[in-house]
């Protein structure tokens, strides 16, 4: 019957089908085969949107992304699914070591589009490595970058701290050909000297991976925790948080009195910060708080003791990966309840917001991962945490429960979450085998968890 419908309606129906089903329906009849084949680009473009294989659901943006892929939508979907199967242990996967970054890496940032890996060292210094060729492209010496420097990178800008509480901003050379530096917060002599000395050391024939001093941001207060996103830097001190435009080197907003008591609690010791164009997110030892940009209003707060009761325990699977060449093993999930005693001594340690600004993920020191799709529904009161959040609990540390979690990362591209615990490196992926467009309440928990073996 599908082929009897007008083409526009038939394609609309097909757009809700998972990719696995698309492969099957072409075998139903010659008419269905001809329908899909004649509209292959549209069908698989819709499939890429459905399975969140692309960043934006806007068709014009997708079309422009497709032209950059240098391939057709069907080939793109097939390649992305092969990668996904690799993350699940169903296809070959391997580890590649980037030794050029050194053996004492402290912080790491990856720019896949430019093929760059940017790291700071425990011993001091900063390095930029070629992602594909494992070659050192550019760097700053330990005499300039302090030991254990915190590193942020976004859209061609590097930001790191130094001992005088200032934040240095360096910009990718290929993006700043006609500009010497930012005028409002210009770099100081130390930055310019480090840049001049580097010109004699690093090959400038391509300038690939090279950075130049751009700005020196003078913090109004001791702001230890900072985060860079879309050229916006959020730096938090104990009582206030500061929002900077790094491209202009300008302080554009101050979020005041972030420790004010709310629901009987202060924010507590700052653990992590995150920012986008609408909100500033601050993790404290007592609460995770969301402040509205452009006024600093506290619009939402969450304490570990107020988490939803329903939780999924991640159980280590004893089986070998489905593919012998895989280093990834899928983990089993078992539904359980979060007890009051286990959450009473827990604390948030990190939070991230998705690239589209719709979802957030948070991690606690006891290894509880909270995924909140459409978190603004909590702010507006349209939903409750127990109705929309997915909560996962990683296997606890052998030492003590409060020493389980180490690190959290969120991919802007596909919504994958990476979490490092004392037990290993875990990857949490949206379950692409069901459609979030056709199911009012998707299967819970709606994610697949894998661990690197």
């Amino acid at each position: 019957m599908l082929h009897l419908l007008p083409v526009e309606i038939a394609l609309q129906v097909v757009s809700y089908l998972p990719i696995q089903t698309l492969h099957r329906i072409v075998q139903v009849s010659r008419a269905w085969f001809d329908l899909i084949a004649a509209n292959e680009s549209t069908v698989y473009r819709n499939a890429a949107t459905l399975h969140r294989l692309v960043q934006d659901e806007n068709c014009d943006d997708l079309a422009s992304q497709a032209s950059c892929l240098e391939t057709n939508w069907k080939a793109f979907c097939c390649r992305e699914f092969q990668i996904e199967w690799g993350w699940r242990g169903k296809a070959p996967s391997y580890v590649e070591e980037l030794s050029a970054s050194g053996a004492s890496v402290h912080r790491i940032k990856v720019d896949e589009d430019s093929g760059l890996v940017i790291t700071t060292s425990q011993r001091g210094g900063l390095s930029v490595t070629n992602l594909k060729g494992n070659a050192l492209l550019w760097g700053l010496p330990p005499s300039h970058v302090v030991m254990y420097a915190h590193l942020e990178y976004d859209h061609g800008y590097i930001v790191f701290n130094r001992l005088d509480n200032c934040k240095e901003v360096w910009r990718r050379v290929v993006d700043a050909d006609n500009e010497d530096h930012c005028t409002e917060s210009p770099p100081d002599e130390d930055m310019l000297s480090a840049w001049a000395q580097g010109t004699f050391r690093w090959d400038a024939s391509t300038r690939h991976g090279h950075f130049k001093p751009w700005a020196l941001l003078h913090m109004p207060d001791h702001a230890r925790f900072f985060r860079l996103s879309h050229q916006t830097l959020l730096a938090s001190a104990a009582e206030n948080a500061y929002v900077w435009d790094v491209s202009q080197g300008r302080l554009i907003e101050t979020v005041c009195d972030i420790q004010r008591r709310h629901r009987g609690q202060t924010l507590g010791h700052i653990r992590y910060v995150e920012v986008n164009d609408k909100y500033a997110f601050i993790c404290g030892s007592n609460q995770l708080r969301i402040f509205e940009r452009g006024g600093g209003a506290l619009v939402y707060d969450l304490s570990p003791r107020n988490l939803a009761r329903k939780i999924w325990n991640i159980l280590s699977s004893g089986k070998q990966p489905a593919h012998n060449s895989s280093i990834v093993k899928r983990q089993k999930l078992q539904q359980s309840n979060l007890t009051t005693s286990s959450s009473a001594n827990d604390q948030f340690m990190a939070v991230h917001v998705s690239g589209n600004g719709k979802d957030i993920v948070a991690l606690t020191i006891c290894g509880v991962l909270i995924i909140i799709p459409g978190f603004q529904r909590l702010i507006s009161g349209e939903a409750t945490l127990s109705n929309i959040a997915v909560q996962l609990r990683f296997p606890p540390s052998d030492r003590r429960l409060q020493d389980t979690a180490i690190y959290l990362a969120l991919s802007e591209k596909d919504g994958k979450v990476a979490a490092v615990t004392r037990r290993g490196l875990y990857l949490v992926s949206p379950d692409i085998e069901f459609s979030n467009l056709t199911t009012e309440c998707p299967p819970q928990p709606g994610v697949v968890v894998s661990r690197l073996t």
Side-chain angles (χ1 to χ4, degrees), residues 179-195:
E179 301 175 81
D180 288 334
H181 52 70
C182 161
T183 56
E184 287 202 34
S185 301
D188 65 0
E189 287 300 322
D190 288 342
M191 296 174 68
L192 296 174
S193 175
W195 159 251

Side-chain angles (χ1 to χ4, degrees), residues 151-166:
L151 168 70
E152 290 292 327
Y153 174 83
D154 182 74
H155 289 79
Y157 289 91
I158 289 174
V159 180
F160 57 87
N161 61 288
R162 59 192 217 179
L163 294 178
D164 60 2
N165 192 40
C166 293

Side-chain angles (χ1 to χ4, degrees), residues 217-284:
L217 308 182
H218 297 266
M219 298 292 116
D221 198 353
H222 181 64
R224 176 184 174 190
F225 298 91
F226 57 97
R227 171 75 170 165
L228 177 66
S229 178
H230 296 280
Q231 301 180 19
T232 300
L233 181 76
L234 174 65
S236 181
E239 300 292 336
N240 302 307
Y242 306 96
V243 183
W244 295 76
D245 180 342
V246 297
S247 65
Q248 301 295 322
R250 185 171 68 248
L251 177 63
I252 57 177
E253 185 179 347
T254 300
V255 182
C256 299
D257 196 16
I258 60 176
Q259 292 285 356
R260 57 185 177 269
R261 296 188 71 84
H262 187 68
R263 303 184 195 274
Q265 288 185 307
T266 61
L267 180 59
H269 298 294
I270 309 299
R271 303 293 191 195
Y272 202 89
V273 298
E274 174 66 292
V275 66
N276 68 3
D277 60 337
K278 293 183 178 180
Y279 301 103
F281 308 81
I282 304 182
C283 271

Side-chain angles (χ1 to χ4, degrees), residues 354-373:
S354 60
N356 60 16
K358 296 179 180 179
D359 314 321
I360 59 174
V361 296
L363 182 64
T364 74
I365 60 175
C366 293
V368 176
L369 178 70
I370 305 98
I371 304 172
I372 310 177

Side-chain angles (χ1 to χ4, degrees), residues 9 13 64 67 83 86 124 133 144 163 165 178 181 206 229 233 249 274 315 361 410 413 417 439 442 450:
I9 297 177
V13 172
S64 94
S67 63
I83 294 174
H144 186 79
L163 294 178
N165 192 40
N178 300 321
H181 52 70
T206 66
S229 178
L233 181 76
E274 174 66 292
L315 308 177
V361 296
L410 173 65
K413 175 185 176 183
V417 179
T439 309
S450 303

Side-chain angles (χ1 to χ4, degrees), residues 106-361:
H106 175 56
R107 301 290 295 182
I108 178 169
K109 298 292 178 180
V110 179
D111 183 340
E112 290 188 74
D113 294 332
S114 300
L116 303 177
V117 178
I118 305 159
T119 58
T120 54
S121 172
Q122 298 174 22
R123 301 171 182 172
L126 181 147
S127 301
V128 180
T129 304
N130 191 331
L131 181 61
K132 300 298 182 181
N134 189 28
L136 196 59
L137 302 174
W138 184 82
L140 292 168
S143 59
H144 186 79
V145 182
V146 299
M147 296 186 295
Y148 295 95
H150 181 71
L151 168 70
E152 290 292 327
Y153 174 83
D154 182 74
H155 289 79
Y157 289 91
I158 289 174
V159 180
F160 57 87
N161 61 288
R162 59 192 217 179
L163 294 178
D164 60 2
N165 192 40
C166 293
K167 306 293 185 276
E168 290 194 14
V169 181
W170 292 67
R171 190 178 182 187
R172 195 165 48 193
V173 169
V174 295
D175 299 329
D177 273 342
N178 300 321
E179 301 175 81
D180 288 334
H181 52 70
C182 161
T183 56
E184 287 202 34
S185 301
D188 65 0
E189 287 300 322
D190 288 342
M191 296 174 68
L192 296 174
S193 175
W195 159 251
Q197 293 174 21
T199 58
F200 298 103
R201 177 180 179 186
W202 305 107
D203 178 18
S205 58
T206 66
R207 298 185 299 174
H208 177 58
H210 288 210
F211 289 77
K212 65 186 302 182
W214 182 252
L216 182 63
L217 308 182
H218 297 266
M219 298 292 116
D221 198 353
H222 181 64
R224 176 184 174 190
F225 298 91
F226 57 97
R227 171 75 170 165
L228 177 66
S229 178
H230 296 280
Q231 301 180 19
T232 300
L233 181 76
L234 174 65
S236 181
E239 300 292 336
N240 302 307
Y242 306 96
V243 183
W244 295 76
D245 180 342
V246 297
S247 65
Q248 301 295 322
R250 185 171 68 248
L251 177 63
I252 57 177
E253 185 179 347
T254 300
V255 182
C256 299
D257 196 16
I258 60 176
Q259 292 285 356
R260 57 185 177 269
R261 296 188 71 84
H262 187 68
R263 303 184 195 274
Q265 288 185 307
T266 61
L267 180 59
H269 298 294
I270 309 299
R271 303 293 191 195
Y272 202 89
V273 298
E274 174 66 292
V275 66
N276 68 3
D277 60 337
K278 293 183 178 180
Y279 301 103
F281 308 81
I282 304 182
C283 271
S285 55
N286 297 330
Q287 291 182 337
L288 164 62
R289 291 184 172 182
I290 303 177
F291 296 90
E292 193 170 36
R293 294 276 307 274
L298 174 60
V299 294
Y300 186 76
D301 66 273
L302 180 63
S303 169
R305 65 188 183 190
N306 297 129
L307 295 177
R309 296 300 97 189
K310 183 178 178 181
I311 195 166
W312 295 83
N313 291 327
I314 300 172
L315 308 177
S316 179
S317 173
K319 297 180 179 180
Q320 290 299 316
H323 196 283
N324 292 334
S325 300
S326 177
I327 61 166
V328 179
K329 182 187 297 184
R330 182 167 176 173
Q331 306 295 285
K332 294 180 180 179
L333 301 178
Q334 183 182 70
Q335 188 174 335
S336 180
N337 290 318
L338 189 65
T339 62
T340 304
S341 59
S342 63
S343 58
N345 297 319
D346 208 353
Q347 300 176 9
F348 286 108
M349 64 167 294
V351 62
H352 286 296
V353 61
S354 60
N356 60 16
K358 296 179 180 179
D359 314 321
I360 59 174
V361 296

